[in-house]
Amino acid sequence: MSTRCFRRVLCALLLPVLLTGRAAALGTSAASAVLMEQESGRVLYAQNADEKRLIASITKIMTAVVALEEGDLQADYTVTAEDMAEGSSMYLKPGDVLTLEELLYGLMLVSGNDAALAVAHCVAGDEASFVAMMNETAERLGMEQSFFCNPNGLDAEGLDAEGHGSSARDMAVLTAYALQNETFRRIVSTASITIGERYLANHNKLLRLYEGCIGVKTGFTKAAGRTLVSAAEREGMTLICVTLSDGDDWNDHMSLLDYGFSTYDMMTAVPAGQALASTLVENGTVPLITLGPDRDLACPVAEGECLTVTVSAPASVSAPVVPGQALGTASLWLDGTCVATVDLVALEPSAVYTPPEKEKGFFARILGR
């Protein structure tokens, strides 16, 4: 691929969006808070968003993500004495046999600390190996203020780089990622379920209190205080709210979500597959291919905001090129800040050009080349 790239502003794309019901000035009782739109990752409200704090049981969002990506949902697990834990519980007993999926319901609905240990043992064989997976996932997702010492969120020593904790922004990033998994969405949005003789009712009251709520997780320890991650969906926009150490979290989440839905509309600047750029193909069967976003380039927009689109792509690439191959990026910008980015992919193929026999030179034909 050529190292020469071009980057150009396409247009001032969006006219001001007229909205009603603007929320009043915001404030929360939380030590840290974030309101983020899932698809673009645009942060709509932040309060000490990058401060690392104890996070209690919202840790279990990461536990569920690792289990869903590394485990077999239908795998049977026999509970042992090593799975017993203090605090909130699914009331497992040694000898109980449950599937990993059933343990995940106990993890996310009733915040079972015992379920968290059982999940770790089921997936990785031992807690330390599972926690290593959690930290590897955090690093992959760019969660710079996060480190995990256990799968349940029980307070660990200290808040240094090696202490158990995270930031509001990191937990929003993790939740945005987790909600892409349909099984995760199904579990965290379940109000109640019966597993064997166990009736599990979701601790997240926002599922009942807030229109469009789809989860996600509550948490509490004396040291961390009340922690809460919620998500709600309305008219094609999913908002994620995170508060850490918040004594009035239910009301704060409803206020922040109300603010987001009343102030912003989800706008698609460029739909998936629309041609945005082109690039030359070296030694290809076609001289030029077009590039378009692999998914909608969209973000929430408030009244009066005008966004611009920029494209960054190589001036030329080498054949072969296949449809869907990532070759650049397209970004939305607001006041010098990037608020959304998607990959630009090839919209059509170009194979390697092979000259017909008659175009080959005399000696090439003799040598069979």
Side-chain angles (χ1 to χ4, degrees):
M1 179 185 296
S2 170
T3 56
R4 295 177 298 131
C5 293
F6 64 85
R7 186 175 187 273
R8 57 192 173 94
V9 176
L10 291 183
C11 57
L13 190 71
L14 301 174
L15 296 175
V17 181
L18 300 179
L19 301 174
T20 59
R22 180 64 61 90
L26 289 182
T28 75
S29 301
S32 301
V34 155
L35 180 68
M36 176 186 288
E37 189 276 317
Q38 181 201 358
E39 183 175 349
S40 66
R42 182 179 180 185
V43 172
L44 310 181
Y45 175 84
Q47 175 185 334
N48 301 323
D50 296 310
E51 181 179 299
K52 184 177 179 181
R53 302 188 63 84
L54 296 172
I55 57 173
S57 282
I58 62 175
T59 295
K60 291 164 183 158
I61 297 172
M62 177 62 85
T63 304
V65 166
V66 172
L68 288 167
E69 293 186 342
E70 303 293 338
D72 176 1
L73 286 177
Q74 301 310 312
D76 286 331
Y77 176 74
T78 302
V79 176
T80 73
E82 292 184 354
D83 300 317
M84 301 299 98
E86 62 182 9
S88 55
S89 178
M90 189 186 177
Y91 299 105
L92 297 174
K93 300 185 298 295
D96 288 347
V97 179
L98 295 90
T99 65
L100 176 60
E101 183 173 9
E102 291 171 334
L103 291 171
L104 288 175
Y105 277 102
L107 179 81
M108 301 305 288
L109 271 63
V110 298
S111 200
N113 293 331
D114 51 357
L117 292 175
V119 165
H121 295 146
C122 178
V123 172
D126 62 85
E127 183 179 353
S129 297
F130 187 86
V131 170
M133 293 178 184
M134 295 172 71
N135 286 313
E136 289 166 4
T137 302
E139 183 176 1
R140 173 166 57 87
L141 296 180
M143 298 171 63
E144 297 180 353
Q145 303 302 320
S146 301
F147 190 81
F148 298 93
C149 296
N150 59 60
N152 48 37
L154 291 174
D155 297 330
E157 293 295 328
L159 268 177
D160 57 18
E162 300 300 310
H164 190 104
S166 186
S167 67
R169 189 190 305 272
D170 278 4
M171 292 306 299
V173 168
L174 172 62
T175 303
Y177 176 77
L179 287 171
Q180 297 175 32
N181 186 299
E182 289 301 319
T183 303
F184 180 90
R185 289 175 70 104
R186 168 169 54 81
I187 291 172
V188 300
S189 63
T190 299
S192 64
I193 191 171
T194 299
I195 296 175
E197 297 180 352
R198 294 179 177 87
Y199 174 76
L200 308 178
N202 200 318
H203 289 179
N204 186 358
K205 295 195 299 185
L206 291 179
L207 287 171
R208 302 184 300 275
L209 295 176
Y210 195 81
E211 179 187 352
C213 182
I214 56 174
V216 180
K217 188 72 190 72
T218 61
F220 173 78
T221 66
K222 288 183 179 179
R226 295 178 62 86
T227 61
L228 180 62
V229 178
S230 68
E233 186 175 49
R234 292 182 186 174
E235 298 181 358
M237 181 165 66
T238 299
L239 299 183
I240 295 165
C241 186
V242 181
T243 53
L244 305 180
S245 187
D246 186 355
D248 195 23
D249 50 7
W250 303 121
N251 288 322
D252 283 340
H253 277 241
M254 289 189 286
S255 295
L256 287 170
L257 291 168
D258 280 346
Y259 162 77
F261 287 122
S262 66
T263 306
Y264 295 87
D265 273 355
M266 197 67 183
M267 301 292 292
T268 298
V270 185
Q274 178 175 307
L276 272 184
S278 59
T279 187
L280 297 172
V281 182
E282 299 173 358
N283 196 34
T285 50
V286 297
L288 194 75
I289 57 169
T290 54
L291 309 177
D294 63 340
R295 56 190 174 87
D296 290 348
L297 181 57
C299 83
V301 180
E303 179 181 353
E305 290 184 339
C306 293
L307 305 181
T308 56
V309 177
T310 62
V311 167
S312 179
S316 63
V317 295
S318 298
V321 177
V322 297
Q325 182 177 336
L327 294 172
T329 58
S331 302
L332 280 176
W333 294 80
L334 171 68
D335 297 331
T337 300
C338 181
V339 292
T341 298
V342 297
D343 285 337
L344 282 180
V345 298
L347 299 181
E348 58 268 330
S350 178
V352 175
Y353 175 72
T354 302
E357 189 70 20
K358 65 181 180 180
E359 294 184 14
K360 294 182 179 180
F362 173 75
F363 290 107
R365 290 199 299 271
I366 292 176
L367 296 174
R369 296 179 181 174

